[in-house]
Amino acid sequence: MTARASPLRRLASALIAHAADVLPPLRSPWGEAMKHELDHIEDDVEALKWGVGCVIASYLERGGRGMNQSFGTIVRKPSAFLPLAMSLTALALLGGAYIFALVTGQAGLERQQDEGAIAHLWQLLMAGQLPVLIFFAIKWLPRAPRQTLCVLALQAGAAVAAMAPVYLLNL
Amino acid sequence: MARRPNNSPQTRKLLSAMLRQPRAWQYGYELSKQTELKSGTLYPLLIRLSDQGFLESQWQEPERPGKPPRHAYKLTLNGLGFAREMAATDTASAVRRKLAGATT
């Protein structure tokens, strides 16, 4: 009969199992190596430290692979350029409406009581990009933090540009 | 200035430990104890050196029954040359430091 593993040992095993899951498939032998090595560590505290280190190693390894991706590669991902495109479309809608108002002899854009189709489209575009943006941040921040932050800054800039006329013109 | 790859103190520590027994297969935990590197530092180094062709690895049957096989590592010929080069640079730097200390 085998003795029941201590809580520290079980925690170490769980950490290493997570570390192995985090590693890219190409690196799976390294995950196995970490797991097997744990069984050769007698001391439970040492085993736990080993487990924590392996999780860090796996995230570094996964992040390292992402780091190889340039800003250009990441910004071309659909979840990166869709929010940008939606903000720019929302801005273009306002610009189009402004030009239309000038052409039809109005002084400019005015707040409408029922908000109108353009306002609803604008709201849909701005609200619709939020889940995409969150998905992008969750997926890419751990893999390539610097490049992802640059794309997020770009997306934030585009969103601010789309919102600015609404606030400035009190639409 | 960009940092040279494989030039970190941790990499030097690992290469120096492996150079002590260049023909022997060594295990992750033992290397960690020898170098005092945590597994979070050790494995990324092992992976990188292996990718660069400086390390070879193989699964070895355990010495004690009931234990799983272990992943073992050894310097390749290229790795051996590189580790010796690093060790020579370290020795030269240490000599220069000593000489500088003696003259001041």
Side-chain angles (χ1 to χ4, degrees):
Chain A
M1 203 176 97
T2 54
R4 192 175 154 80
S6 74
L8 286 183
R9 175 71 56 169
R10 288 205 302 274
L11 182 58
S13 297
L15 284 171
I16 293 203
H18 178 66
D21 287 344
V22 165
L23 278 174
L26 194 71
R27 300 293 196 203
S28 59
W30 291 96
E32 286 301 303
M34 294 170 186
K35 268 188 203 170
H36 288 203
E37 207 58 22
L38 184 71
D39 289 334
H40 295 271
I41 303 174
E42 300 294 338
D43 185 66
D44 287 351
V45 176
E46 280 295 304
L48 184 62
K49 284 184 190 170
W50 187 259
V52 172
C54 289
V55 171
I56 294 170
S58 294
Y59 274 101
L60 281 176
E61 185 53 29
R62 196 172 83 167
R65 279 166 57 78
M67 299 279 182
N68 295 334
Q69 308 229 25
S70 66
F71 173 79
T73 317
I74 290 182
V75 84
R76 278 198 288 272
K77 305 280 175 201
S79 58
F81 72 72
L82 263 177
L84 275 174
M86 288 164 97
S87 290
L88 294 177
T89 310
L91 183 63
L93 271 178
L94 289 177
Y98 183 73
I99 292 167
F100 181 76
L102 287 183
V103 167
T104 52
Q106 296 168 31
L109 289 176
E110 284 172 11
R111 188 183 178 88
Q112 296 169 3
Q113 284 299 340
D114 64 347
E115 289 198 319
I118 289 175
H120 285 124
L121 267 176
W122 185 92
Q123 286 161 2
L124 277 176
L125 285 166
M126 296 310 286
Q129 67 178 270
L130 266 176
V132 187
L133 215 141
I134 292 167
F135 168 79
F136 170 75
I138 291 172
K139 184 172 179 187
W140 288 100
L141 262 177
R143 298 178 189 198
R146 211 176 57 192
Q147 293 88 331
T148 306
L149 282 175
C150 291
V151 176
L152 285 172
L154 207 62
Q155 289 168 338
V160 168
M163 285 189 277
V166 176
Y167 290 103
L168 293 175
L169 301 173
N170 199 24
L171 296 172
Chain B
M1 198 175 102
R3 219 177 97 198
R4 279 180 59 203
N6 297 326
N7 205 20
S8 69
Q10 293 84 355
T11 312
R12 285 167 177 270
K13 232 182 212 183
L14 176 62
L15 289 173
S16 153
M18 298 196 84
L19 199 55
R20 268 178 241 140
Q21 293 171 283
R23 305 247 176 266
W25 287 98
Q26 301 189 63
Y27 304 118
Y29 185 53
E30 274 68 35
L31 281 171
S32 163
K33 280 199 290 190
Q34 280 179 50
T35 56
E36 295 176 345
L37 294 174
K38 308 276 181 217
S39 54
T41 308
L42 180 72
Y43 275 109
L45 286 180
L46 289 173
I47 292 172
R48 198 180 69 206
L49 290 171
S50 175
D51 284 351
Q52 291 168 337
F54 292 144
L55 273 190
E56 54 182 317
S57 57
Q58 65 166 223
W59 287 99
Q60 289 193 343
E61 283 310 308
E63 289 151 13
R64 281 179 298 169
K67 298 277 183 188
R70 298 180 89 172
H71 212 215
Y73 315 98
K74 192 168 82 167
L75 288 170
T76 59
L77 273 182
N78 275 347
L80 203 57
F82 181 69
R84 284 187 177 138
E85 197 183 304
M86 284 282 136
T89 323
D90 286 347
T91 313
S93 309
V95 170
R96 271 198 299 275
R97 273 198 303 274
K98 269 190 183 171
L99 285 174
T103 53
T104 52

